Amino acid sequence: MAQTVWSILPPVITIVLALWTKEVYMSLIIGIFSGALLFTGGNLLESILTMFAVMEDKVGGNVNILVFLVILGILVAAITRSGATRAYGEWAARVIHGKRSASILTALLGIVIFIDDYFNCLTVGTVMRPVTDKFKIARTKLAYIIDATAAPVCIIAPVSSWAAAVGSSLPEDATIDGFNLFLQTIPFNLYAWCTLAFMLFVIWTGRDYATMGRSVQENAEHFFIPPEYQDTDEEVGEDALGLGNGKIYDLILPLVVLIAACVYGMLYTGGIHEGKSIADAFADCDSAKSLALGSFIAFVFTGLLYLPRRVITFGQFCACFTKGFKAMVPAIFILCLAWTLSGICSDKYLDLGGYVGAVVSSNATVMTLLPPIFFLVAVGLAFATGTSWGTFGILIPIAMAIVGTENANLLVVTVAAVLSGAVGGDHASPISDTTILASAGAQCHHLDHVSTQLPYVLTVSVCCLLGYIVDGVTQNGWLGLGTAFGCLAVVMVGIRAKVPVVDK
């Protein structure tokens, strides 16, 4: 079945099941097993052994990514437990004097906490909700700001759990480094950049529209707190803000050390001490080892920062190990399954890339439409399944198989379109984990958040689609970026002219 039409069956089964059942884990498992059945000619026992052999090979080869995710989870748990985020919230309450300032500071905190979207959603909501309530900022607006600075920031941050996941999603036989490819996609992730720009525009001008505009107007007249949250607003548990006596720098310093240590790790594994230039060291680095090295250094630094000062006790610090690991279990599970699906489709087994590449490589029309097609497919898949990670875990190997590595420009913008669409669909999905966490962090009705955010998601997505069409035609990501921002600027001018100020 290798390098035949049957080789496309596993990812097709996975995508169809994910769209139908909205259960990405089971869809991936069934897709993997169907690939193993094809490879073994229908031998049930050999298929099971093949499936686990591929998993052992892929997971074993990516163990440093798993180490990074676990340590990152521990760091998040320790920072939360330290009370540093509470100190930031108390400082913010003293210095903020208006709606715009409160919203901008909320967005700024969301941008600063870029290492993980879960940590972002819960921390920003918990810290800033009392501040935004003070100025009667609608909780739906708070939820939108939280969501707009969670995944969009993580997907363009070189040091984050998302960067690790994307960098490890490439097929086993890929001839390029996944992390370097991720770095190249950052400027062309249109949805992330346009969402951040549009969010700042809405905050600065106070011109909300559609369902968000009505929600903001209603809260300006009569501030609404959902009944189920009214009794808990003043009762924030240790999981939300922590019981430690941490200061603001106890939040900032671990993040700074994490970034610096990961960058140094890339230079170190790339051979900076062996006389290589900085550019060559970055090009030759082992990104997975670098992230594991950097996160462990940050972990040790955080322990040395907290324990001697009794910010948290030794027992509390150790309790963060299991808490952080548990928080990362869903991400680890989906990564392992996505790696396995990629492995079963590699040239060692079904060779999906060989078949699909041969079919479409000679068709220039199809090739020019790949970025917008992959963007739309990613939006639909992420919307239906509620997971960005599952979406790009499925689609990146397919994009690699179709485009290949010869056309570097088209490959970069196509993968960027996958990442962009994954975040956009995730934002629109009512079953997305980050959308749910943004609602929880803002303590507003979940469906209210979904319905008020959806018009903004659609506005930005249309601009991005036009940008990716230009990307495909010109195979120049910068022209697509300019097109997307140009369309967004026109939309902003129209909103400024037609929509009255409702939140300023």
Side-chain angles (χ1 to χ4, degrees):
M1 298 296 181
Q3 211 175 59
T4 67
V5 67
W6 293 102
S7 63
I8 69 172
L9 199 57
V12 169
I13 289 174
T14 302
I15 292 172
V16 171
L17 283 177
L19 290 170
W20 181 34
T21 66
K22 300 178 176 60
E23 292 291 342
V24 71
Y25 299 114
M26 184 57 71
S27 300
L28 281 164
I29 290 171
I30 294 173
I32 293 165
F33 187 64
S34 67
L37 279 173
L38 289 172
F39 180 72
T40 61
N43 187 314
L44 185 62
L45 294 179
E46 285 299 318
S47 298
I48 296 173
L49 292 175
T50 298
M51 181 173 67
F52 287 110
V54 176
M55 185 174 292
E56 178 185 9
D57 183 43
K58 296 295 292 182
V59 174
N62 287 290
V63 68
N64 285 314
I65 298 296
L66 302 183
V67 170
F68 169 71
L69 290 175
V70 171
I71 296 177
L72 185 62
I74 295 170
L75 280 174
V76 168
I79 292 171
T80 303
R81 189 64 182 263
S82 73
T85 50
R86 182 189 60 231
Y88 178 91
E90 292 171 349
W91 169 80
R94 292 194 302 268
V95 301
I96 294 175
H97 302 293
K99 279 190 174 185
R100 181 187 288 173
S101 299
S103 297
I104 289 177
L105 198 58
T106 301
L108 180 61
L109 180 61
I111 292 171
V112 168
I113 304 177
F114 55 80
I115 59 173
D116 184 70
D117 55 327
Y118 288 7
F119 181 39
N120 183 305
C121 288
L122 294 177
T123 301
V124 175
T126 303
V127 170
M128 296 305 299
R129 189 177 61 252
V131 180
T132 55
D133 281 357
K134 175 183 176 182
F135 296 102
K136 296 184 178 180
I137 297 173
R139 290 195 171 182
T140 50
K141 182 74 169 286
L142 173 62
Y144 168 67
I145 296 172
I146 292 170
D147 222 351
T149 55
V153 171
C154 292
I155 201 66
I156 56 176
V159 181
S160 71
S161 56
W162 287 57
V166 174
S168 62
S169 294
L170 271 64
E172 184 178 302
D173 57 344
T175 57
I176 58 176
D177 180 71
F179 187 75
N180 285 332
L181 177 61
F182 170 77
L183 292 179
Q184 293 177 64
T185 66
I186 290 175
F188 312 124
N189 196 316
L190 304 185
Y191 184 83
W193 292 112
C194 289
T195 293
L196 292 172
F198 190 70
M199 175 202 62
L200 293 174
F201 164 79
V202 169
I203 289 174
W204 189 259
T205 64
R207 286 176 164 84
D208 291 286
Y209 61 96
T211 47
M212 181 68 81
R214 291 192 291 274
S215 175
V216 169
Q217 185 64 47
E218 290 169 0
N219 275 270
E221 296 169 357
H222 178 69
F223 187 69
F224 175 73
I225 298 176
E228 62 267 33
Y229 293 124
Q230 289 176 2
D231 294 334
T232 60
D233 247 19
E234 303 300 327
E235 300 173 7
V236 180
E238 65 177 69
D239 285 344
L241 288 179
L243 294 178
N245 59 349
K247 309 299 181 184
I248 295 177
Y249 59 80
D250 290 311
L251 170 66
I252 296 174
L253 287 180
L255 299 182
V256 171
V257 171
L258 175 65
I259 298 167
C262 287
V263 171
Y264 170 73
M266 293 171 194
L267 293 172
Y268 176 76
T269 60
I272 192 69
H273 294 312
E274 299 169 6
K276 290 186 179 180
S277 67
I278 293 177
D280 290 339
F282 272 120
D284 298 335
C285 76
D286 186 326
S287 56
K289 284 184 179 179
S290 305
L291 293 174
L293 174 63
S295 61
F296 184 75
I297 292 173
F299 164 75
V300 173
F301 171 83
T302 304
L304 294 175
L305 179 67
Y306 289 174
L307 295 179
R309 297 165 45 232
R310 303 290 294 176
V311 171
I312 56 177
T313 66
F314 181 74
Q316 291 170 338
F317 186 68
C318 291
C320 294
F321 296 180
T322 53
K323 185 177 178 63
F325 183 86
K326 288 177 182 177
M328 287 297 177
V329 165
I332 290 172
F333 187 31
I334 200 169
L335 266 183
C336 291
L337 294 177
W339 289 335
T340 307
L341 179 65
S342 172
I344 204 70
C345 294
S346 69
D347 61 348
K348 186 177 179 180
Y349 293 93
L350 297 180
D351 196 12
L352 170 64
Y355 171 73
V356 178
V359 171
V360 303
S361 60
S362 60
N363 193 324
T365 303
V366 172
M367 297 298 280
T368 59
L369 292 176
L370 285 180
I373 289 173
F374 270 99
F375 176 75
L376 291 174
V377 171
V379 168
L381 186 58
F383 176 81
T385 60
T387 169
S388 297
W389 285 36
T391 297
F392 59 66
I394 293 169
L395 294 182
I396 286 179
I398 299 175
M400 288 283 298
I402 294 175
V403 180
T405 58
E406 292 78 14
N407 192 335
N409 290 335
L410 183 60
L411 176 63
V412 169
V413 295
T414 302
V415 173
V418 170
L419 302 181
S420 189
V423 176
D426 185 83
H427 265 183
S429 176
I431 60 172
S432 161
D433 46 5
T434 49
T435 306
I436 293 169
L437 286 173
S439 304
Q443 292 196 352
C444 71
H445 284 309
H446 176 57
L447 292 181
D448 287 344
H449 168 46
V450 173
S451 63
T452 53
Q453 180 168 262
L454 186 58
Y456 292 0
V457 173
L458 293 175
T459 299
V460 173
S461 295
V462 170
C463 297
C464 295
L465 178 60
L466 295 174
Y468 283 122
I469 291 174
V470 173
D471 276 346
V473 172
T474 65
Q475 295 190 24
N476 186 321
W478 295 108
L479 289 177
L481 181 66
T483 300
F485 269 102
C487 294
L488 190 64
V490 172
V491 171
M492 291 176 179
V493 170
I495 291 173
R496 195 176 183 91
K498 300 293 185 182
V499 177
V501 176
V502 293
D503 189 36
K504 195 172 182 180

